[in-house]
Amino acid sequence: MYLGRSPLVGRDGLFDTTRIAIGELDAVVYTAPDSGVVECVELTVDNQTDPAEIFFEKYRSIDGRSFPSQIRLAYGVETRTAMEVDTVDWNATLASGGTD
């Protein structure tokens, strides 16, 4: 369900926000209105718990596609983990079991 435009902590401007239910999780996806790239996904399990936020940052072109070169997981005001993406294999196949 489209919620309208909302601010995003640490970012300038307003972002298009869409709420998605994933089982018991509630997700709000923040996208840049001009480019449509995903800036953040906010995940909550209930109204009493702080959301976990996955930030997609430092977009760059990889093989002609826009891709975040940094992905960061935050909970509360702390970054819990961050990763840098150097390369992408667009045609990778998962091993049987699908957990690669």
Side-chain angles (χ1 to χ4, degrees), residues 3 8 12 35 40 52-53 55-56 62-63 68-69 74 85 93:
L3 301 175
L8 182 59
D12 293 330
S35 65
C40 179
E53 297 155 323
F55 289 93
F56 301 92
I62 299 177
D63 298 329
S69 63
V85 178
T93 56

Side-chain angles (χ1 to χ4, degrees), residues 5-7 9-10 12 17 31 35 38 40 52 54 63 65 77 87-88:
R5 292 201 172 161
S6 300
V9 174
D12 293 330
T17 55
T31 55
S35 65
V38 175
C40 179
I54 305 168
D63 298 329
R65 300 177 191 179
V77 296
T87 61
V88 176

Side-chain angles (χ1 to χ4, degrees), residues 63-76:
D63 298 329
R65 300 177 191 179
S66 185
F67 197 84
S69 63
Q70 183 174 342
I71 301 171
R72 183 171 53 91
L73 173 65
Y75 182 71

Side-chain angles (χ1 to χ4, degrees), residues 43-84:
L43 301 165
T44 56
V45 292
D46 59 44
N47 291 337
Q48 281 71 35
T49 307
D50 280 344
E53 297 155 323
I54 305 168
F55 289 93
F56 301 92
E57 303 170 323
K58 299 180 182 177
Y59 275 84
R60 62 185 175 101
S61 179
I62 299 177
D63 298 329
R65 300 177 191 179
S66 185
F67 197 84
S69 63
Q70 183 174 342
I71 301 171
R72 183 171 53 91
L73 173 65
Y75 182 71
V77 296
E78 290 184 33
T79 294
R80 297 300 175 123
T81 191
M83 67 179 193
E84 294 286 331

